[in-house]
Amino acid sequence: MNYETILCEIEDGIGTITLNRPKVLNAINDELLKEMSEALDIFAENQNVKVVILTGGDKVFAAGADIVFMSEASSLEAESFVRLCHETIDKITNLDKPVIAAIAGLALGGGCELTLSCDIRIAAEGTNIGLPEINLGLYPGGGGTQRLTRLVGTGWAKQLLMTGKPIDAKSALNIGLVTKVVPAQELMKEAKGLALELARKSTIAMRLMKSCIDYGENVDLPSGCLFEQKVWALLLSTDDAHEGMKAFLEKRKPDFRGR
Ligand code: DAK
């Protein structure tokens, strides 16, 4: 898995994608999106990958979409870029494995939008997160106006989107934009520890639960609960559910097989 703009590795059941354009603070261009999309396909197919980490490493997550690329793009390049943005973000959202965003330094604009499509976001102290597109005469086009609003509520979303001012990791934690803040040097250790913890759970229960949460966000409560009930009934008949309950009764650790 050799790429130009990302690093990609699989270790201990964890697939990690690291944005890798340090000279431009990991600004996101079409090539990076293409490579990330390809890596996500590989992770989706590979049964050994139980959890995915998306990161920029311990310096910077991403300063947003590549402004040089966007300002020079022809209409056809712009069309392809927009398509790739949505394709990649949809692949993260629809991946049937948990995706953890490990965020350091900056997550701005399209960088922030990438993290919003992940399941869990943890940040390093000193990180700034925001959607400054309004200062470029734009607004977020990668789902930011929608996902941020659902995640932190209309009030905070409008504050962030309308001012374009980033907030620090502590404030992001206070509004629920991230769920944990750790010292920068511990970010990757924390992300991997969390990933390993999730990787030990039943992959089938994890997958079905993720689909319930995500489906429920887009429908009314009774429909979401109905979906949860139907899927739960299906889950109860799996080997993993039997094993989990049996292990509890036998006072031992479960041995989940994802079946
Ligand atoms: N694009 C391209 N290059 C960038 C960049 C970016 N977003 N951010 C930084 N760089 C480059 C800088 O130009 C500089 O390059 P050189 O001058 O060295 O060649 C290098 O990275 C280091 O940056 P600075 O020298 O500026 O570093 P500082 O520490 O002084 O400042 C900064 C860091 C993050 C405050 C500053 O670089 C900055 O304000 N950057 C721009 C941040 C920003 O506005 N981001 C939002 C971009 S717009 C869509 C989906 C998504 C999007 C749009 C549409 N569709 C699906 C429709 C997303 C849009 C965006 O993200």
Side-chain angles (χ1 to χ4, degrees):
M1 290 184 289
N2 283 329
Y3 297 106
E4 296 290 321
T5 62
I6 60 168
L7 303 172
C8 185
E9 67 161 29
I10 299 174
E11 196 182 42
D12 298 332
I14 304 165
T16 303
I17 297 175
T18 307
L19 281 67
N20 189 31
R21 298 187 75 213
K23 284 192 184 142
V24 287
L25 309 180
N26 290 338
I28 300 160
N29 62 4
D30 56 343
E31 188 175 5
L32 186 144
L33 289 170
K34 258 184 227 152
E35 294 189 343
M36 191 183 289
S37 179
E38 201 182 306
L40 286 164
D41 285 342
I42 293 170
F43 289 173
E45 285 302 312
N46 188 331
Q47 295 308 307
N48 294 323
V49 175
K50 308 267 194 284
V51 181
V52 171
I53 296 176
L54 183 61
T55 187
D58 54 12
K59 299 263 183 319
V60 59
F61 186 84
D66 190 321
I67 300 172
V68 176
F69 171 80
M70 285 196 301
S71 65
E72 292 171 353
S74 67
S75 355
L76 281 181
E77 283 165 343
E79 192 274 334
S80 157
F81 178 71
V82 169
R83 189 167 36 76
L84 270 166
C85 277
H86 282 279
E87 201 178 284
T88 311
I89 282 174
D90 287 349
K91 277 185 190 175
I92 297 172
T93 308
N94 297 327
L95 196 70
D96 60 4
K97 313 174 183 198
V99 185
I100 299 166
I103 313 164
L106 292 166
L108 301 179
C112 177
E113 287 178 304
L114 276 180
T115 74
L116 289 171
S117 63
C118 297
D119 298 307
I120 298 179
R121 281 156 294 281
I122 57 178
E125 282 168 359
T127 300
N128 285 308
I129 306 179
L131 292 140
E133 283 89 337
I134 192 70
N135 299 325
L136 299 169
L138 299 169
Y139 65 78
T145 62
Q146 305 304 303
R147 288 195 177 88
L148 184 67
T149 307
R150 282 165 171 75
L151 186 66
V152 301
T154 312
W156 272 108
K158 284 186 176 168
Q159 166 82 23
L160 284 165
L161 291 160
M162 289 178 169
T163 64
K165 273 196 199 127
I167 53 171
D168 63 18
K170 222 168 150 193
S171 309
L173 181 66
N174 286 339
I175 66 169
L177 179 47
V178 301
T179 52
K180 190 157 189 180
V181 177
V182 295
Q185 65 276 17
E186 283 172 29
L187 179 69
M188 292 317 293
K189 192 170 150 234
E190 182 72 28
K192 282 185 184 152
L194 176 60
L196 283 173
E197 186 186 335
L198 302 189
R200 283 193 290 270
K201 316 270 186 209
S202 158
T203 50
I204 187 155
M206 190 66 81
R207 169 159 64 85
L208 295 177
M209 182 172 66
K210 178 170 168 173
S211 71
C212 285
I213 299 167
D214 291 342
Y215 178 79
E217 266 211 323
N218 300 314
V219 297
D220 59 88
L221 184 63
S223 308
C225 286
L226 184 64
F227 184 74
E228 185 196 70
Q229 286 168 41
K230 300 294 175 201
V231 174
W232 195 89
L234 180 73
L235 178 64
L236 196 64
S237 66
T238 62
D239 290 352
D240 275 3
H242 293 151
E243 165 62 11
M245 290 184 284
K246 194 161 175 264
F248 172 78
L249 295 172
E250 292 171 0
K251 302 192 188 308
R252 60 172 173 82
K253 286 209 165 109
D255 175 19
F256 293 125
R257 301 285 171 93
R259 290 196 296 254

